[in-house]
Amino acid sequence: MSELFSDPAPDDARERRSPRWVRWSGFLAGALVLIVLTAVVTLGVTRPNTPTPDPGDSGSETAEPHNDVPLAFGAQDTVVATTTVPAGPSRSHLLQFDVAVGATPTATPRAAMVGLRVECHDESGRVEMQAKGNQTTNMFVSKGGSMSGQALSPETDQELRCDLLASAPYIEVEEDGHSSLPLTAELRVEPTDGAHHLALHRLDDATLVREGRTVNVLSRQIDEPRDLERMSTTLRLTSCTVVGGSRDRGPNRCTASMTGEESSTVRVKVIGRWLDDEGEIRSASTYWDEVLAIDYDTHHVPWTLRQDAMGDMVPEDASSMVLVVQVESIAGTPFVVHADGSDSVITTVPRGS
C-alpha cells in the first residue's frame, strides 16, 4: 500500500493539467513581512475571517462567546479564548479557532509576529494533544490580519478545559505609545456523531519544494469512504525569498543561493484516490485545487481549508479511499512546507448499510 502515499505518479501529472477550479491569490506589498493570507474555504464554501458572535447558534455544543482582548507586545501564551469539552464517551475532539487582529494606526510602518496554539487540561493537568494547532504569521500593525486553524485532543472520556494561547514575542513598546494588538478570538468544539481522525502520513521535518516538484504532505486511508463527512487542513508554507524561518527542528531549508525577489507560485490540491477490493487505485477525484503566490514581502503563509459534504463524491464501486493533501512548486522561488503545524483532521460518521 506504500505507493498510495508516495509522491505522485504520472497519472497525477495528467490530472494537474485539467483543474476543477483554480483561484489566484495576491498579496499586499511591504518590507519583510505582510498581513497573513488565510484561504479558508469549504465545499459548501465558508471563509472564517473576523469572528462574530451569534447568541442564537454558536455552531457548537460548548463554544463560548468570542473574546475581544488586547494582546500585549512581548506577550507569551496569553489565553485569548476558552471552551469546555464535556465528559462523555471516550473520543477525540476537534477544536477550531478563528482569530482577527484589528488595525492600529502607526506613524511609521511596524510589523508584529503573532503565534497561536491550543492547550487542554483535564482534572489531572495538561493533556498531550494529537495536534496543537500551531500557527505563526507576520502582519503590519496598521493593517492587522486574521488566522484560522484546528487542534485535535487525545481520546478521552473526561471533561476538558481548552485554551487558545496567543503570543506576540518580537515587538516592543516605542514612543508612539502602542503597547498591545486588539485581538478578537473564538475557540469552539466541533460536535459530531462519528469520529475525528488525524492524517497518519505526515512530513517528518520542514521540506524544501523546488520548481517542478510535487510533494504529498498529508494522507490517510479511509476504509469506509461513504462515512466521510468533512476535513480540516492547515499547511504552513514559507517562501525562500529569505533564508530565515525555513526550519522546524533541523537547519534552515532555504539557502542564500536560492533566495530572490521572485514570488513562489504554489499549487495545493486535495485528492481522493478510490480503491477496489484488492486495494488497487481505480480512479481519483479532485476535492480542491488552488494556486497561490507567496511574494517577496509575504514570506510566511498559513493556509487553512475546511471542507464539508465530502462523502457526496464517493463512487458507488469504491471499497476504500486514500485522501491526499499535495503541494506543487509551479514557478519561482522554492518554498518550504513545515511539518510543525501542518495537519489534517478527517471526520467520519457511520451511515449504515
Side-chain angles (χ1 to χ4, degrees):
M1 297 292 288
S2 60
E3 70 275 8
L4 301 178
F5 309 103
S6 60
D7 284 349
D11 285 345
D12 292 315
R14 290 197 297 272
E15 183 183 35
R16 290 196 296 270
R17 290 200 292 268
S18 54
R20 190 166 57 91
W21 184 84
V22 176
R23 177 173 62 78
W24 287 88
S25 299
F27 299 87
L28 302 174
L32 285 176
V33 290
L34 187 68
I35 180 173
V36 59
L37 167 71
T38 307
V40 185
V41 285
T42 67
L43 293 181
V45 181
T46 60
R47 183 183 298 273
N49 285 312
T50 304
T52 54
D54 185 357
D57 181 9
S58 67
S60 163
E61 296 172 345
T62 57
E64 298 185 7
H66 78 292
N67 294 327
D68 296 308
V69 296
L71 180 61
F73 291 174
Q76 290 282 356
D77 291 340
T78 297
V79 176
V80 295
T82 298
T83 193
T84 300
V85 179
S90 183
R91 63 204 296 179
S92 300
H93 301 279
L94 173 62
L95 299 112
Q96 293 186 330
F97 57 83
D98 298 301
V99 172
V101 179
T104 301
T106 56
T108 58
R110 299 191 66 189
M113 175 179 283
V114 176
L116 300 172
R117 67 183 180 89
V118 175
E119 188 174 275
C120 294
H121 294 78
D122 60 19
E123 60 182 10
S124 300
R126 187 173 66 184
V127 300
E128 185 66 28
M129 303 291 286
Q130 295 188 63
K132 299 177 182 179
N134 289 344
Q135 288 292 314
T136 303
T137 193
N138 305 301
M139 61 188 67
F140 286 124
V141 174
S142 61
K143 296 185 179 296
S146 60
M147 304 171 72
S148 297
Q150 68 281 328
L152 187 65
S153 80
E155 289 190 11
T156 182
D157 58 3
Q158 298 186 47
E159 179 179 284
L160 296 176
R161 175 188 172 90
C162 297
D163 299 322
L164 178 62
L165 307 177
S167 301
Y170 302 123
I171 184 170
E172 299 177 351
V173 178
E174 295 184 355
E175 292 180 358
D176 59 13
H178 297 306
S179 61
S180 64
L181 300 170
L183 186 145
T184 301
E186 182 182 17
L187 176 67
R188 59 192 178 275
V189 184
E190 293 297 327
T192 181
D193 293 328
H196 302 299
H197 315 275
L198 192 66
L200 294 179
H201 294 260
R202 292 175 284 174
L203 300 176
D204 295 326
D205 203 347
T207 299
L208 179 69
V209 186
R210 297 178 181 270
E211 183 176 349
R213 185 186 179 193
T214 300
V215 174
N216 290 339
V217 181
L218 302 158
S219 60
R220 182 172 180 125
Q221 181 165 328
I222 306 297
D223 292 330
E224 298 292 339
R226 288 161 192 80
D227 293 349
L228 183 60
E229 183 180 61
R230 62 182 182 264
M231 182 174 176
S232 300
T233 301
T234 295
L235 300 179
R236 290 183 59 208
L237 308 174
T238 294
S239 173
C240 289
T241 47
V242 298
V243 172
S246 62
R247 63 183 297 273
D248 286 341
R249 292 170 293 279
N252 280 313
R253 301 303 181 184
C254 301
T255 63
S257 63
M258 67 181 65
T259 60
E261 295 189 9
E262 186 178 3
S263 298
S264 301
T265 304
V266 183
R267 189 172 198 172
V268 183
K269 298 180 73 174
V270 179
I271 299 168
R273 294 174 179 163
W274 313 110
L275 313 182
D276 61 16
D277 291 338
E278 303 299 322
E280 299 294 328
I281 301 174
R282 291 307 181 190
S283 61
S285 301
T286 301
Y287 275 101
W288 194 256
D289 191 341
E290 178 173 349
V291 176
L292 58 96
I294 312 174
D295 71 17
Y296 178 76
D297 299 312
T298 305
H299 193 42
H300 300 294
V301 172
W303 181 92
T304 297
L305 178 71
R306 294 172 184 165
Q307 299 171 279
D308 293 318
M310 297 185 71
D312 294 347
M313 289 180 63
V314 178
E316 291 185 3
D317 59 350
S319 295
S320 58
M321 71 175 297
V322 175
L323 279 169
V324 179
V325 180
Q326 186 181 97
V327 298
E328 177 188 4
S329 176
I330 294 179
T333 304
F335 66 91
V336 166
V337 186
H338 294 272
D340 183 16
S342 292
D343 57 63
S344 283
V345 179
I346 301 158
T347 303
T348 58
V349 177
R351 299 193 181 188
S353 58

mmCIF file of all heavy atoms in Angstrom, residues 94-122:
data_model
loop_
_atom_site.group_PDB
_atom_site.id
_atom_site.type_symbol
_atom_site.label_atom_id
_atom_site.label_comp_id
_atom_site.label_asym_id
_atom_site.label_seq_id
_atom_site.Cartn_x
_atom_site.Cartn_y
_atom_site.Cartn_z
ATOM 1 N N LEU A 94 -12.385 17.655 18.028
ATOM 2 C CA LEU A 94 -11.866 18.646 17.094
ATOM 3 C C LEU A 94 -12.196 20.041 17.602
ATOM 4 O O LEU A 94 -13.360 20.358 17.860
ATOM 5 C CB LEU A 94 -12.491 18.438 15.710
ATOM 6 C CG LEU A 94 -12.187 19.492 14.643
ATOM 7 C CD1 LEU A 94 -10.694 19.551 14.340
ATOM 8 C CD2 LEU A 94 -12.986 19.202 13.370
ATOM 9 N N LEU A 95 -11.165 20.855 17.758
ATOM 10 C CA LEU A 95 -11.342 22.246 18.187
ATOM 11 C C LEU A 95 -10.894 23.156 17.049
ATOM 12 O O LEU A 95 -9.782 23.021 16.536
ATOM 13 C CB LEU A 95 -10.516 22.534 19.443
ATOM 14 C CG LEU A 95 -10.891 21.684 20.660
ATOM 15 C CD1 LEU A 95 -9.756 20.723 20.985
ATOM 16 C CD2 LEU A 95 -11.233 22.548 21.848
ATOM 17 N N GLN A 96 -11.758 24.063 16.649
ATOM 18 C CA GLN A 96 -11.427 25.012 15.586
ATOM 19 C C GLN A 96 -11.378 26.419 16.154
ATOM 20 O O GLN A 96 -12.135 26.757 17.066
ATOM 21 C CB GLN A 96 -12.433 24.935 14.444
ATOM 22 C CG GLN A 96 -12.369 23.610 13.699
ATOM 23 C CD GLN A 96 -13.247 23.561 12.470
ATOM 24 O OE1 GLN A 96 -14.284 24.213 12.399
ATOM 25 N NE2 GLN A 96 -12.834 22.775 11.484
ATOM 26 N N PHE A 97 -10.477 27.236 15.598
ATOM 27 C CA PHE A 97 -10.360 28.606 16.086
ATOM 28 C C PHE A 97 -10.261 29.582 14.923
ATOM 29 O O PHE A 97 -9.786 29.241 13.830
ATOM 30 C CB PHE A 97 -9.136 28.765 17.011
ATOM 31 C CG PHE A 97 -7.813 28.389 16.401
ATOM 32 C CD1 PHE A 97 -7.099 29.295 15.611
ATOM 33 C CD2 PHE A 97 -7.266 27.135 16.622
ATOM 34 C CE1 PHE A 97 -5.875 28.956 15.055
ATOM 35 C CE2 PHE A 97 -6.029 26.790 16.069
ATOM 36 C CZ PHE A 97 -5.345 27.698 15.285
ATOM 37 N N ASP A 98 -10.748 30.791 15.171
ATOM 38 C CA ASP A 98 -10.656 31.909 14.239
ATOM 39 C C ASP A 98 -10.238 33.135 15.037
ATOM 40 O O ASP A 98 -10.814 33.421 16.092
ATOM 41 C CB ASP A 98 -11.993 32.173 13.537
ATOM 42 C CG ASP A 98 -12.446 30.987 12.701
ATOM 43 O OD1 ASP A 98 -11.688 30.597 11.796
ATOM 44 O OD2 ASP A 98 -13.532 30.439 12.961
ATOM 45 N N VAL A 99 -9.245 33.840 14.536
ATOM 46 C CA VAL A 99 -8.691 34.999 15.235
ATOM 47 C C VAL A 99 -8.562 36.151 14.251
ATOM 48 O O VAL A 99 -8.138 35.959 13.108
ATOM 49 C CB VAL A 99 -7.309 34.669 15.839
ATOM 50 C CG1 VAL A 99 -6.631 35.919 16.388
ATOM 51 C CG2 VAL A 99 -7.447 33.609 16.930
ATOM 52 N N ALA A 100 -8.921 37.338 14.680
ATOM 53 C CA ALA A 100 -8.712 38.550 13.894
ATOM 54 C C ALA A 100 -7.944 39.553 14.742
ATOM 55 O O ALA A 100 -8.274 39.771 15.907
ATOM 56 C CB ALA A 100 -10.044 39.149 13.455
ATOM 57 N N VAL A 101 -6.911 40.145 14.145
ATOM 58 C CA VAL A 101 -6.137 41.199 14.794
ATOM 59 C C VAL A 101 -6.519 42.515 14.145
ATOM 60 O O VAL A 101 -6.370 42.689 12.927
ATOM 61 C CB VAL A 101 -4.617 40.948 14.652
ATOM 62 C CG1 VAL A 101 -3.833 42.075 15.313
ATOM 63 C CG2 VAL A 101 -4.250 39.601 15.275
ATOM 64 N N GLY A 102 -7.045 43.434 14.943
ATOM 65 C CA GLY A 102 -7.513 44.704 14.420
ATOM 66 C C GLY A 102 -6.368 45.612 13.986
ATOM 67 O O GLY A 102 -5.227 45.480 14.445
ATOM 68 N N ALA A 103 -6.664 46.541 13.102
ATOM 69 C CA ALA A 103 -5.671 47.504 12.624
ATOM 70 C C ALA A 103 -5.458 48.606 13.653
ATOM 71 O O ALA A 103 -6.416 49.115 14.247
ATOM 72 C CB ALA A 103 -6.127 48.111 11.306
ATOM 73 N N THR A 104 -4.204 48.984 13.866
ATOM 74 C CA THR A 104 -3.838 50.055 14.784
ATOM 75 C C THR A 104 -2.997 51.079 14.021
ATOM 76 O O THR A 104 -1.899 50.753 13.561
ATOM 77 C CB THR A 104 -3.025 49.522 15.976
ATOM 78 O OG1 THR A 104 -3.805 48.538 16.672
ATOM 79 C CG2 THR A 104 -2.660 50.637 16.924
ATOM 80 N N PRO A 105 -3.489 52.298 13.835
ATOM 81 C CA PRO A 105 -2.712 53.298 13.084
ATOM 82 C C PRO A 105 -1.349 53.535 13.732
ATOM 83 O O PRO A 105 -1.232 53.642 14.952
ATOM 84 C CB PRO A 105 -3.593 54.550 13.161
ATOM 85 C CG PRO A 105 -4.975 54.037 13.425
ATOM 86 C CD PRO A 105 -4.796 52.819 14.276
ATOM 87 N N THR A 106 -0.315 53.611 12.881
ATOM 88 C CA THR A 106 1.039 53.864 13.370
ATOM 89 C C THR A 106 1.678 54.974 12.535
ATOM 90 O O THR A 106 1.387 55.107 11.338
ATOM 91 C CB THR A 106 1.912 52.601 13.283
ATOM 92 O OG1 THR A 106 1.919 52.129 11.927
ATOM 93 C CG2 THR A 106 1.365 51.508 14.188
ATOM 94 N N ALA A 107 2.561 55.752 13.170
ATOM 95 C CA ALA A 107 3.218 56.855 12.463
ATOM 96 C C ALA A 107 4.213 56.333 11.437
ATOM 97 O O ALA A 107 4.410 56.942 10.380
ATOM 98 C CB ALA A 107 3.922 57.765 13.471
ATOM 99 N N THR A 108 4.843 55.207 11.717
ATOM 100 C CA THR A 108 5.783 54.569 10.793
ATOM 101 C C THR A 108 5.429 53.087 10.682
ATOM 102 O O THR A 108 4.802 52.527 11.597
ATOM 103 C CB THR A 108 7.227 54.701 11.307
ATOM 104 O OG1 THR A 108 7.322 54.110 12.612
ATOM 105 C CG2 THR A 108 7.636 56.173 11.383
ATOM 106 N N PRO A 109 5.780 52.437 9.580
ATOM 107 C CA PRO A 109 5.453 51.016 9.418
ATOM 108 C C PRO A 109 6.052 50.168 10.543
ATOM 109 O O PRO A 109 7.242 50.274 10.843
ATOM 110 C CB PRO A 109 6.071 50.659 8.062
ATOM 111 C CG PRO A 109 6.165 51.951 7.338
ATOM 112 C CD PRO A 109 6.450 52.989 8.385
ATOM 113 N N ARG A 110 5.206 49.355 11.156
ATOM 114 C CA ARG A 110 5.660 48.442 12.198
ATOM 115 C C ARG A 110 5.062 47.068 11.940
ATOM 116 O O ARG A 110 3.912 46.942 11.523
ATOM 117 C CB ARG A 110 5.238 48.921 13.592
ATOM 118 C CG ARG A 110 5.783 50.277 13.991
ATOM 119 C CD ARG A 110 5.541 50.539 15.471
ATOM 120 N NE ARG A 110 6.303 49.612 16.304
ATOM 121 C CZ ARG A 110 6.153 49.505 17.622
ATOM 122 N NH1 ARG A 110 5.246 50.251 18.248
ATOM 123 N NH2 ARG A 110 6.890 48.667 18.320
ATOM 124 N N ALA A 111 5.844 46.041 12.173
ATOM 125 C CA ALA A 111 5.399 44.678 11.945
ATOM 126 C C ALA A 111 5.396 43.905 13.252
ATOM 127 O O ALA A 111 6.174 44.189 14.168
ATOM 128 C CB ALA A 111 6.298 43.976 10.932
ATOM 129 N N ALA A 112 4.510 42.917 13.340
ATOM 130 C CA ALA A 112 4.413 42.072 14.528
ATOM 131 C C ALA A 112 4.293 40.616 14.110
ATOM 132 O O ALA A 112 3.676 40.306 13.084
ATOM 133 C CB ALA A 112 3.216 42.471 15.379
ATOM 134 N N MET A 113 4.878 39.738 14.884
ATOM 135 C CA MET A 113 4.664 38.306 14.729
ATOM 136 C C MET A 113 3.631 37.863 15.754
ATOM 137 O O MET A 113 3.711 38.219 16.930
ATOM 138 C CB MET A 113 5.956 37.515 14.931
ATOM 139 C CG MET A 113 5.744 36.002 14.899
ATOM 140 S SD MET A 113 7.278 35.061 15.105
ATOM 141 C CE MET A 113 7.955 35.263 13.454
ATOM 142 N N VAL A 114 2.650 37.087 15.296
ATOM 143 C CA VAL A 114 1.612 36.558 16.184
ATOM 144 C C VAL A 114 1.628 35.039 16.084
ATOM 145 O O VAL A 114 1.616 34.478 14.980
ATOM 146 C CB VAL A 114 0.219 37.093 15.815
ATOM 147 C CG1 VAL A 114 -0.853 36.454 16.708
ATOM 148 C CG2 VAL A 114 0.177 38.604 15.933
ATOM 149 N N GLY A 115 1.690 34.364 17.229
ATOM 150 C CA GLY A 115 1.671 32.912 17.273
ATOM 151 C C GLY A 115 0.458 32.411 18.035
ATOM 152 O O GLY A 115 -0.007 33.046 18.984
ATOM 153 N N LEU A 116 -0.059 31.256 17.625
ATOM 154 C CA LEU A 116 -1.224 30.652 18.266
ATOM 155 C C LEU A 116 -0.977 29.168 18.505
ATOM 156 O O LEU A 116 -0.258 28.519 17.755
ATOM 157 C CB LEU A 116 -2.475 30.800 17.389
ATOM 158 C CG LEU A 116 -2.949 32.199 17.023
ATOM 159 C CD1 LEU A 116 -4.076 32.112 16.009
ATOM 160 C CD2 LEU A 116 -3.393 32.975 18.250
ATOM 161 N N ARG A 117 -1.587 28.639 19.554
ATOM 162 C CA ARG A 117 -1.636 27.193 19.777
ATOM 163 C C ARG A 117 -2.762 26.903 20.765
ATOM 164 O O ARG A 117 -3.229 27.796 21.482
ATOM 165 C CB ARG A 117 -0.310 26.652 20.292
ATOM 166 C CG ARG A 117 0.091 27.111 21.682
ATOM 167 C CD ARG A 117 1.469 26.559 22.078
ATOM 168 N NE ARG A 117 1.871 26.976 23.401
ATOM 169 C CZ ARG A 117 1.585 26.297 24.509
ATOM 170 N NH1 ARG A 117 0.909 25.160 24.441
ATOM 171 N NH2 ARG A 117 1.996 26.728 25.694
ATOM 172 N N VAL A 118 -3.192 25.635 20.802
ATOM 173 C CA VAL A 118 -4.277 25.207 21.686
ATOM 174 C C VAL A 118 -3.717 24.262 22.744
ATOM 175 O O VAL A 118 -2.896 23.387 22.447
ATOM 176 C CB VAL A 118 -5.397 24.503 20.893
ATOM 177 C CG1 VAL A 118 -6.473 23.955 21.840
ATOM 178 C CG2 VAL A 118 -6.011 25.463 19.880
ATOM 179 N N GLU A 119 -4.158 24.453 23.969
ATOM 180 C CA GLU A 119 -3.734 23.611 25.098
ATOM 181 C C GLU A 119 -4.975 23.189 25.877
ATOM 182 O O GLU A 119 -5.866 24.012 26.131
ATOM 183 C CB GLU A 119 -2.786 24.406 25.991
ATOM 184 C CG GLU A 119 -2.112 23.612 27.080
ATOM 185 C CD GLU A 119 -1.086 24.448 27.825
ATOM 186 O OE1 GLU A 119 0.066 24.531 27.356
ATOM 187 O OE2 GLU A 119 -1.450 25.036 28.867
ATOM 188 N N CYS A 120 -5.058 21.907 26.254
ATOM 189 C CA CYS A 120 -6.211 21.393 27.001
ATOM 190 C C CYS A 120 -5.751 20.750 28.312
ATOM 191 O O CYS A 120 -4.650 20.199 28.395
ATOM 192 C CB CYS A 120 -6.986 20.362 26.178
ATOM 193 S SG CYS A 120 -7.789 21.017 24.697
ATOM 194 N N HIS A 121 -6.640 20.827 29.320
ATOM 195 C CA HIS A 121 -6.360 20.250 30.637
ATOM 196 C C HIS A 121 -7.560 19.417 31.088
ATOM 197 O O HIS A 121 -8.716 19.800 30.861
ATOM 198 C CB HIS A 121 -6.104 21.344 31.678
ATOM 199 C CG HIS A 121 -4.864 22.146 31.423
ATOM 200 N ND1 HIS A 121 -4.813 23.150 30.473
ATOM 201 C CD2 HIS A 121 -3.629 22.098 32.007
ATOM 202 C CE1 HIS A 121 -3.599 23.693 30.485
ATOM 203 N NE2 HIS A 121 -2.870 23.071 31.391
ATOM 204 N N ASP A 122 -7.275 18.278 31.727
ATOM 205 C CA ASP A 122 -8.321 17.558 32.450
ATOM 206 C C ASP A 122 -8.063 17.739 33.945
ATOM 207 O O ASP A 122 -7.233 18.571 34.343
ATOM 208 C CB ASP A 122 -8.368 16.081 32.044
ATOM 209 C CG ASP A 122 -7.069 15.338 32.315
ATOM 210 O OD1 ASP A 122 -6.245 15.829 33.128
ATOM 211 O OD2 ASP A 122 -6.869 14.252 31.737
#
